[in-house]
């Protein structure tokens, strides 16, 4: 039998449904890949039995002639930010190490209900704060891609969904969940040559996802291609009364609507994203993308997003502000780590627990967030940042009068080496410069592999759509994908 | 009412008071979770995953809490804000699992309104004063720390955590402990009429933060202190009295008032410092990103308005003008919603039983309720809420008085027996043979006996000592064992003595 781990979501779903192979065979194949990929450190916890149990249930359903779900027989990786009943949910932090929830996040439950099974909990940047997966308490993830210069340097898989991106790229799972606050799905997808979409804010319930920045956090799928992402997003999305910010809209049949025909579509190219000193390969891949969409029938229009340069500073005020408050609940009182020094009082316990339980990047953001919300600074920082956020939304609204979807690079560069930016938070933050505006505006945005750079590393192109127009984003993504012909083949070294 | 002044060594001082009343919204579920809110449950048995702030949990507003806050605002003629928003108030404490309280700082649901208070209960026709209400906002309560369960550790009970509160913030309009007391009582009355809070201060459903400052009359406001969580009207008044005198003493001995948070000690009736402004938290308020703004449409507001009952001021006015009750009686009957409800049932049954209009029996019913029933219930240590006599049963008693079957004094005995046995007035009168005698023949016979036995007094009366008339009435009633119709006795006596 062919290697089942070479198959994606749609192929597995259809193969299981047709009886070409069983769901259990699929689960066993991926379980074996997970077990053999310790060097990548993509998983914090592997759950082979959970994958097998779900697969058996799917096979049993098929034997009885029952309909299988959208994700029937597809084993997936679950970012360890989603609460999973009975399985450690750590957010890659020490403070939640050993925390095992008695509840299941809405999104993961929907995936299990659709027939998916869980291969394990995927590594990430601690509390989803980071762009390289180096802030995890459980060690960094290694990108399965290597440069072609023979240097063998270990590369970052991107972040925060770095375990998800590495696992999908390395065929440890056909798809994985991600979450995106300021690029955490799109940037790692770009760094590892896979596809990932952050839907419109509110499409996927946040209930049961460890919060980083509530007004920005959004779950989405990461998979090998556009169709796989489409199928999985359909399973993940939908209104949830338990999340007040959830969108009360039906989930369209995006898969049925998939079309690479761009005739009559206008693709916007934002002038402000073409920055001085832009990486030549990134610029070239952007030009390729423009040409491909033109070939697919689209009209290309130049657009302006004048407040782009303020997006990153505004993001690094709003996200830490919300995080500083969201992370206050990790205090050692009710669950998770408690450090209670001899003779300590309540304040000492807070200090000791939080000093030991949070990593450096998380502390940095809590400090920034606390500072910008403080009396006397609130208006200068938080209020200003919110105004910028509104202006950025207006930029997009105006731009979408002239175009249907926006094309831009996902990141300013290909994957960087582990350790390269660890001591330079600002250059790390700059990685998200193209990703953050869509997050601030709550718009659907996707990264699709566009080819390799001169070092042999994948580059991603980003599509940003109108609110609720995931279909437009997915279709443009499909057009790019078909034109790019990116295979995602990499040499297995682990 | 005379002005309340503190006599200091340097002259008179005026007290300025503002109150922040926290009223627990009467609902079955908490503000942002489905957990129950029953008082007195075992610790940590009314805690949802949201209340315990488990990772990834999200608040969902309870619409009933919003509705009750809006109705309360309407009841004090306040501005209802169609757009309001929840903010986070950030601070660390073990009884606050989220590390922040969800409250409304920037955009409260209810804006300015007012409450009219009568300054002296005993003198309802005396002066009234309008106390401004700056705002009402909705927020979460915190849990409770228990320090007496373990020698070295504190325990946490999260049952109250997330319970919905209305914070009702007054303007600094009060000038005496009595005014503050009247304001709290009136506010409590309105909340109970509206049904948005049970007003039970002992159970903590209503408590006040008391802001007090002093100044020489006519001068600008002084620095204020805030005494937290005072949980009875009497304690609110004691807090003000103590705090105002303390402040005058401090200032007059050359000191200055520090803006600080204080605690009231009910055992000593004094306040002490809890934390000063320097130690005050920086709460880092910001809009809660887990929650959308609260936007109220006209239909919702309309249904809130339509659901409001007749409120105490309107009711009191109606009792005076339509029912012809005295201002005092109207005030007593409308102060508590339960009393008014009881009275209106009584009125309804009384009018029906006697075949009269409500306005014709209102005075009788009101007088009887206030001067007879309250006293009788009090005597057996109970109150109207637990009264063994129902409004319908009481109407039966009033009907017997109205049609002359029994006298007022016999009615007192009957009422006592009703309370004791739960039997109806008619049954008791029948069983005990308490029917009033109106048969002139029987009464005349007794009067003849009385006059015969007191010939000297009859002579004195006829000689002009009119005052003795009452003596003959008393003797006749005694001889009739109280069962004679007093009107008939009067008439016959006049005839036979005349």
């Amino acid at each position: 039998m062919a290697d089942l781990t070479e198959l994606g979501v749609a192929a597995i779903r259809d193969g299981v449904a047709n009886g070409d192979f069983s769901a259990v065979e699929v689960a066993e194949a991926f379980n074996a890949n997970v077990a053999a990929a310790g060097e990548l450190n993509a998983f914090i916890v592997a759950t082979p039995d959970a994958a097998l149990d779900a697969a058996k249930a799917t096979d049993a359903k098929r034997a009885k002639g029952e309909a299988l779900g959208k994700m029937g027989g597809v084993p997936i990786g679950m970012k360890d930010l989603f609460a999973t009943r009975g399985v450690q949910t750590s957010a890659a932090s020490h403070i939640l190490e050993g925390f095992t929830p008695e509840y299941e996040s809405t999104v993961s439950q929907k995936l299990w209900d659709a027939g998916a099974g869980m291969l394990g909990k995927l590594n990430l940047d601690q509390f989803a704060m980071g762009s390289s997966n180096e802030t995890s308490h459980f060690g960094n993830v290694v990108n399965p891609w290597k440069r072609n210069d023979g240097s063998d340097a270990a590369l970052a898989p991107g972040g925060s969904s770095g375990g998800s991106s590495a696992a999908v790229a390395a065929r440890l799972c056909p798809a994985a969940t991600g979450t995106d606050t300021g690029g955490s799905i799109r940037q790692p997808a770009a760094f590892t040559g896979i596809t990932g979409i952050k839907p419109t804010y509110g499409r996927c319930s946040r209930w049961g996802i460890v919060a980083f920045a509530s007004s920005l956090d959004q779950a989405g799928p990461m998979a090998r291609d556009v169709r796989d992402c489409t199928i999985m997003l359909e399973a993940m999305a939908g209104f949830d009364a338990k999340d007040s910010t959830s969108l009360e809209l039906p989930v369209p049949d995006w898969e049925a609507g998939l079309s690479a025909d761009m005739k009559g579509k206008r693709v916007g190219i934002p002038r402000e994203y073409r920055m001085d000193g832009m990486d030549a390969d990134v610029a070239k891949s952007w030009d390729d993308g423009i040409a491909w969409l033109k070939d697919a029938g689209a009209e290309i229009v130049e657009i302006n997003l004048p407040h782009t340069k303020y997006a990153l500073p505004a993001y690094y005020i709003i996200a830490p502000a919300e995080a500083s408050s969201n992370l206050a609940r990790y205090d050692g009182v009710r669950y998770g780590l408690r450090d209670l020094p001899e003779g300590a009082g309540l304040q000492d316990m807070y200090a000791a627990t939080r000093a030991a339980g949070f990593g450096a990047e998380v502390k940095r953001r809590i400090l920034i967030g606390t500072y910008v919300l403080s009396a006397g600074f609130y208006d200068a920082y938080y209020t200003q940042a919110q105004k910028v956020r509104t202006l950025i939304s207006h930029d997009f609204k105006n731009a979408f009068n002239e175009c249907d979807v926006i094309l831009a690079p996902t990141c300013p560069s290909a994957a960087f080496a582990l350790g390269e930016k660890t001591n330079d938070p600002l250059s790390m933050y700059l990685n998200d410069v193209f990703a953050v505006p869509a997050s601030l505006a709550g718009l659907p945005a996707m990264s699709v592999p566009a080819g390799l750079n001169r070092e042999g590393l994948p580059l991603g192109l980003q599509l940003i759509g109108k609110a609720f127009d995931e279909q437009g984003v997915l279709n443009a993504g499909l057009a790019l994908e078909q034109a790019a012909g990116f295979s995602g083949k990499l040499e297995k070294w682990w | 009412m005379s002005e309340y002044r503190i006599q200091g060594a340097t002259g008179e001082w005026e007290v300025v008071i503002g109150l922040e009343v926290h009223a627990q919204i009467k609902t079955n579920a908490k503000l942002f979770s489905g957990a129950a809110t029953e008082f007195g449950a075992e610790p940590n048995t009314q805690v949802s995953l949201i209340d315990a702030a488990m990772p990834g949990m999200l608040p969902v507003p309870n619409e009933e809490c919003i509705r009750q806050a809006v109705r309360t605002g309407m009841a004090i003629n306040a501005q209802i804000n169609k757009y309001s928003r929840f903010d986070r108030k950030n601070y660390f404490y073990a009884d606050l699992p989220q590390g922040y309280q969800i409250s409304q700082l920037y955009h409260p649901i209810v804006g300015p309104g007012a409450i009219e208070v009568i300054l002296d209960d005993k003198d309802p026709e005396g002066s009234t004063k309008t106390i401004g209400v700056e705002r009402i906002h909705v927020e979460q309560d915190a849990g409770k720390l228990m320090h007496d369960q373990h020698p070295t550790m504190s325990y946490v009970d999260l049952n109250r955590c997330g319970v919905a509160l209305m914070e009702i913030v007054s303007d600094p309009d009060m000038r005496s402990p009595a005014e503050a007391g009247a304001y709290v009582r009136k506010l409590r009355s309105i909340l109970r009429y509206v049904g948005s809070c049970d007003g039970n201060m002992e159970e903590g459903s209503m408590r006040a933060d008391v802001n007090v400052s002093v100044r020489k009359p006519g001068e600008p406001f002084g620095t204020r202190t805030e005494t937290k969580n005072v949980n009875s009207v009497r304690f609110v008044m004691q807090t003000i009295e103590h705090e105002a005198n303390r402040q005058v003493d401090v200032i007059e001995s050359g000191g200055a008032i520090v803006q600080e948070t204080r605690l009231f000690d009910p055992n000593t009736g004094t306040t002490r410092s809890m934390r000063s402004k320097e130690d005050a938290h920086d709460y880092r308020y910001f809009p809660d990103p887990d929650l959308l703004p609260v936007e109220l449409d006209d239909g919702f507001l309309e249904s809130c308005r339509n659901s409001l009952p007749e409120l105490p001021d309107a009711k009191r006015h109606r009792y005076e003008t339509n029912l012809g009750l005295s201002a005092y009686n109207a005030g007593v009957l409308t102060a508590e919603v339960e009393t008014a409800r009881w009275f209106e049932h009584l009125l309804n049954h009384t009018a029906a039983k006697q075949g009269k209009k409500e306005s014709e029996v209102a005075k009788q019913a009101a007088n009887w309720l206030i001067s007879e029933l309250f006293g009788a219930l009090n005597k057996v240590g109970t109150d109207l809420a637990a009264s063994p006599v129902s409004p319908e049963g009481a109407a039966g008693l009033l009907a017997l008085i109205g049609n002359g079957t029994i006298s007022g004094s016999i009615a007192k005995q009957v009422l006592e027996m009703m309370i004791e046995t739960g039997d109806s007035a008619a049954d008791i009168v029948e069983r005990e043979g308490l029917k009033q005698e109106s048969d002139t023949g029987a009464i005349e016979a007794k009067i003849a006996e009385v006059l015969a036995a007191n010939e000297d007094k009859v002579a004195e009366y006829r000689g002009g000592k009119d005052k003795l008339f009452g003596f003959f009435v008393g003797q006749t009633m005694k001889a009739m064992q109280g069962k004679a119709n007093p009107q008939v006795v009067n008439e016959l006596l006049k005839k036979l003595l005349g």
Side-chain angles (χ1 to χ4, degrees):
Chain A
M1 189 185 302
D3 182 359
L4 293 174
T5 64
E6 283 302 320
L7 302 180
V9 172
I12 293 170
R13 176 194 67 181
D14 296 343
V16 168
N18 294 335
D20 302 339
F21 41 80
S22 71
V24 166
E25 287 172 308
V26 176
E28 281 170 343
F30 280 105
N31 277 341
N33 276 11
V34 170
E39 273 182 87
L40 296 178
N41 199 28
F43 284 85
I44 295 175
V45 176
T47 57
D49 292 341
L52 280 178
D53 288 347
K56 282 177 194 160
T58 294
D59 286 340
K61 264 182 136 179
R62 187 177 176 277
K64 280 190 270 179
E66 291 171 20
L68 307 183
K70 282 185 168 59
M71 297 285 290
V74 182
I76 58 167
M78 186 60 60
K79 186 177 184 180
D80 199 20
L81 203 62
F82 293 79
T84 44
R85 191 184 295 109
V87 180
Q88 173 182 284
T89 300
S90 71
S93 71
H94 183 38
I95 209 160
L96 281 178
E97 190 172 3
F99 172 70
T100 305
E102 290 172 20
Y103 49 93
E104 186 77 33
S105 82
T106 297
V107 163
S108 55
Q109 187 62 53
K110 284 170 94 75
L111 286 164
W112 312 148
D113 291 347
M118 181 164 75
L119 291 160
K121 299 298 288 288
L122 290 161
N123 208 341
L124 65 147
D125 276 301
Q126 193 171 138
F127 284 102
M129 297 176 191
S131 305
S132 65
N133 217 112
E134 289 168 291
T135 71
S136 168
H137 174 67
F138 300 95
N140 60 266
V141 177
V142 184
N143 192 330
W145 289 84
K146 295 276 190 192
R147 287 180 185 137
N148 59 11
D149 59 2
S151 68
D152 200 37
L155 302 180
S160 65
S161 310
S164 306
S165 65
V168 172
R171 308 300 192 245
L172 311 187
C173 48
T177 55
T179 62
D180 190 317
T181 304
S184 279
I185 287 176
R186 292 161 282 161
Q187 183 254 20
F191 274 23
T192 56
I194 67 164
T195 306
I197 179 167
K198 175 196 92 72
T200 309
Y201 180 80
R203 270 288 185 202
C204 293
S205 169
R206 292 185 295 113
W207 194 89
I209 302 174
V210 175
F212 161 18
S214 311
S215 74
L216 296 154
D217 294 346
Q218 188 52 209
M222 299 171 76
R224 278 177 220 158
D225 63 27
V226 172
R227 179 172 298 271
D228 287 1
C229 278
T230 307
I231 294 165
M232 186 159 158
L233 180 60
E234 276 182 34
M236 295 168 72
F239 173 67
D240 181 5
K242 292 189 288 188
D243 174 0
S244 306
T245 61
S246 171
L247 284 172
E248 208 165 349
L249 288 176
V251 178
D253 188 345
W254 289 309
E255 192 185 3
L258 277 181
S259 160
D261 183 359
M262 294 293 288
K263 273 196 219 61
K265 299 289 178 195
R266 296 163 303 168
V267 174
I269 308 300
R271 289 189 179 89
E272 292 78 5
Y273 282 46
R274 204 173 285 278
M275 291 172 174
D276 288 342
M278 189 178 220
D279 180 282
D281 288 349
V282 169
K284 184 188 173 295
S285 81
W286 193 6
D287 290 339
D288 289 344
I290 293 168
W292 293 333
L293 291 180
K294 209 172 180 176
D295 290 347
E299 178 194 343
I300 305 297
V301 291
E302 293 262 311
I303 56 161
N304 292 313
L305 296 169
H307 297 92
T308 297
K309 67 178 169 186
Y310 304 112
L312 200 65
Y315 173 84
Y316 274 99
I317 289 168
I318 292 167
E322 294 182 12
S324 72
S325 176
N326 281 337
L327 270 59
R329 64 187 56 199
Y330 309 111
D331 58 5
V333 176
R334 297 168 312 287
Y335 52 79
L337 182 72
R338 172 186 290 176
D339 193 340
L340 185 64
E342 189 63 30
L346 185 61
Q347 296 300 326
D348 308 312
M349 184 182 87
Y350 287 150
T353 300
R354 290 166 66 81
F358 291 135
E361 181 62 26
V362 173
K363 285 177 192 163
R364 181 178 3 256
R365 298 202 194 186
I366 290 175
L367 287 172
I368 293 170
T370 304
Y371 179 80
V372 300
L373 290 176
S374 297
F377 299 103
Y378 179 83
D379 283 336
Y381 291 104
Y382 187 81
T383 307
Q384 282 297 103
Q386 288 293 8
K387 287 181 188 164
V388 169
R389 190 173 185 175
T390 305
L391 290 173
I392 285 175
S393 288
H394 286 159
D395 280 0
F396 279 112
K397 202 169 263 177
N398 293 336
F400 283 124
N401 289 329
E402 295 160 36
C403 67
D404 302 299
V405 67
I406 293 168
L407 177 71
T410 307
C411 308
S413 73
F416 48 83
L418 288 166
E420 192 180 313
K421 294 178 192 282
T422 322
N423 296 318
D424 185 0
L426 279 186
S427 93
M428 187 77 90
Y429 296 170
L430 277 169
N431 244 280
D432 293 323
V433 67
F434 299 134
V436 153
S439 293
L440 288 171
L443 301 175
M446 183 177 208
S447 180
V448 176
L452 302 178
N453 72 357
R454 70 191 73 178
E455 293 174 307
L457 295 180
L459 293 172
L461 282 175
Q462 181 180 210
L463 294 153
I464 302 169
K466 298 173 190 171
F468 322 125
D469 186 25
E470 282 80 3
Q471 190 76 65
V473 171
L474 292 164
N475 288 356
L478 189 65
L480 280 183
E481 180 180 282
Q482 290 182 358
F486 180 78
S487 75
K489 280 274 182 218
L490 49 76
E491 213 154 302
K492 185 167 179 289
W493 52 263
W494 55 92
Chain B
M1 192 175 173
S2 61
E3 282 178 312
Y4 179 85
R5 290 285 186 263
I6 290 179
Q7 300 300 327
T10 60
E12 290 194 333
W13 294 82
E14 184 183 42
V15 188
V16 176
I17 305 147
L19 294 176
E20 292 162 26
V21 173
H22 296 262
Q24 179 178 337
I25 299 177
K26 213 164 98 183
T27 57
N28 297 325
K30 295 183 179 179
L31 180 53
F32 295 112
S33 84
T37 57
E38 198 190 321
F39 177 76
E42 284 292 303
N44 295 314
T45 56
Q46 301 188 148
V47 185
S48 75
L49 295 169
I50 296 166
D51 306 323
M54 300 304 281
M57 291 301 99
L58 298 171
V60 176
N62 174 348
E63 188 183 314
E64 178 62 10
C65 298
I66 304 295
R67 199 177 81 89
Q68 291 293 23
V70 168
R71 294 175 73 244
T72 304
M74 288 173 167
I76 60 164
N77 293 312
Q79 170 191 318
I80 307 299
N81 294 323
K82 291 171 89 171
Y83 175 96
S84 68
R85 217 173 54 182
F86 288 103
D87 302 302
R88 291 185 183 177
K89 177 182 181 177
N90 295 283
Y91 65 96
F92 283 95
Y93 203 55
D95 66 4
L96 189 74
Q98 294 168 142
Y100 53 84
Q101 177 196 33
I102 305 178
S103 181
Q104 298 188 301
L105 175 73
Y106 298 108
H107 296 276
I109 191 158
V110 175
I115 292 178
E116 188 171 272
V117 299
I118 292 169
L119 295 180
D120 184 359
D121 265 355
K122 303 285 181 309
D123 178 20
E125 283 164 288
S127 55
T128 60
K129 180 167 177 175
T130 301
I131 310 292
V133 171
E134 182 199 315
R135 58 191 275 156
I136 300 176
H137 63 256
V138 177
E139 64 185 22
Q140 297 176 302
D141 204 351
K144 190 174 75 178
L145 291 195
M146 298 182 286
H147 301 292
D148 54 358
Q149 309 283 309
H150 187 279
T152 59
M153 287 192 277
S154 294
Y155 282 39
V156 190
D157 175 9
L158 297 179
N159 279 354
R160 284 196 69 83
C161 191
V163 161
L165 304 177
M166 287 179 282
E167 181 169 329
I168 303 155
V169 183
S170 85
D171 288 327
D173 284 351
M174 288 155 278
R175 295 290 178 269
S176 71
E179 283 182 25
Y183 169 79
V184 176
R185 278 195 302 271
K186 184 61 176 285
L187 177 59
R188 181 174 176 276
S189 166
I190 293 170
L191 295 175
R192 287 164 57 84
Y193 264 82
V194 169
S196 57
C197 171
D198 69 19
N200 194 327
M201 297 188 85
E202 289 97 71
E203 292 180 2
S205 321
M206 218 181 130
R207 50 191 201 261
D209 296 345
V210 183
N211 289 281
V212 175
S213 64
V214 296
R215 64 176 174 187
K216 289 283 175 67
E219 290 192 350
F221 288 146
T223 303
R224 70 189 161 85
T225 63
E226 181 181 20
T227 305
K228 287 273 188 195
N229 283 334
V230 185
N231 67 350
S232 83
V233 174
R234 193 162 57 90
F235 292 160
V236 166
M237 293 167 68
Q238 279 182 17
T239 296
I240 296 163
E241 207 165 326
H242 174 268
E243 190 51 24
N245 280 289
R246 185 192 69 84
Q247 291 185 10
V248 168
D249 288 348
V250 167
I251 298 168
E252 291 195 332
S253 55
I257 301 303
V258 229
Q259 189 176 336
E260 61 179 356
T261 305
R262 298 182 69 86
L263 275 182
F264 176 72
D265 181 350
N267 297 317
T268 59
T270 60
T271 66
R272 64 186 155 81
S273 181
M274 194 162 98
R275 58 170 186 260
S276 72
K277 196 186 175 189
E278 287 74 55
D279 307 327
H281 298 291
D282 179 351
Y283 289 120
R284 292 169 283 124
Y285 279 100
F286 76 108
D288 192 324
D290 283 333
L291 293 163
L292 300 174
V294 180
E295 291 177 79
L296 307 176
D297 62 37
D298 292 334
F300 179 81
L301 295 181
E302 187 68 20
S303 79
C304 286
R305 198 172 294 284
N306 291 339
S307 75
L308 282 181
E310 186 181 33
L311 292 163
D313 287 346
K315 208 180 265 296
R316 187 160 47 85
H317 186 249
R318 180 168 64 84
Y319 283 8
E320 287 181 47
T321 53
N322 296 8
L323 299 180
L325 301 190
S326 69
Y328 176 79
N329 278 2
V332 170
L333 292 175
T334 55
E336 289 287 343
V337 64
E338 284 81 6
T339 312
R341 205 170 288 146
W342 212 100
F343 171 69
E344 287 178 13
H345 284 146
L346 173 66
L347 197 56
N348 187 266
H349 288 296
T350 300
K353 279 201 161 66
Q354 302 189 17
K356 291 178 178 170
K357 286 191 217 153
E358 288 191 352
S359 57
E360 292 171 321
V361 294
K363 276 186 198 161
Q364 181 201 13
N367 284 330
W368 178 82
L369 182 56
I370 292 168
S371 48
E372 303 296 336
L373 184 62
F374 280 164
L377 291 174
N378 200 25
K379 220 157 116 186
V380 296
T382 186
D383 57 17
L384 202 57
S387 168
V389 178
S390 69
E392 190 171 6
L397 178 63
L398 290 183
L400 294 179
I401 304 172
N403 65 19
T405 307
I406 56 172
S407 67
S409 58
I410 289 294
K412 282 187 212 287
Q413 295 174 39
V414 176
L415 176 57
E416 280 175 19
M417 285 185 263
M418 288 171 79
I419 290 172
E420 204 181 301
T421 63
D423 294 339
S424 78
D427 287 352
I428 291 169
V429 168
E430 190 62 42
R431 188 172 68 220
E432 304 287 329
L434 295 173
K435 224 170 182 162
Q436 177 167 264
E437 190 58 78
S438 300
D439 174 4
T440 48
I443 299 172
E444 268 189 43
K446 287 290 176 200
I447 290 176
E449 283 173 29
V450 167
L451 298 187
N454 296 287
E455 281 181 357
D456 48 340
K457 296 234 167 42
V458 174
E460 279 178 50
Y461 177 82
R462 289 188 173 139
K465 206 166 175 188
D466 290 352
K467 272 193 270 178
L468 278 169
F469 189 77
F471 166 79
F472 294 115
V473 173
Q475 290 299 308
T476 307
M477 289 305 280
K478 202 172 154 191
M480 293 293 298
Q481 290 169 306
K483 286 182 277 182
N485 183 327
Q487 219 174 330
V488 178
V489 171
N490 275 346
E491 282 165 19
L492 291 176
L493 267 175
K494 270 186 188 145
K495 192 178 85 186
L496 296 171
L497 281 169

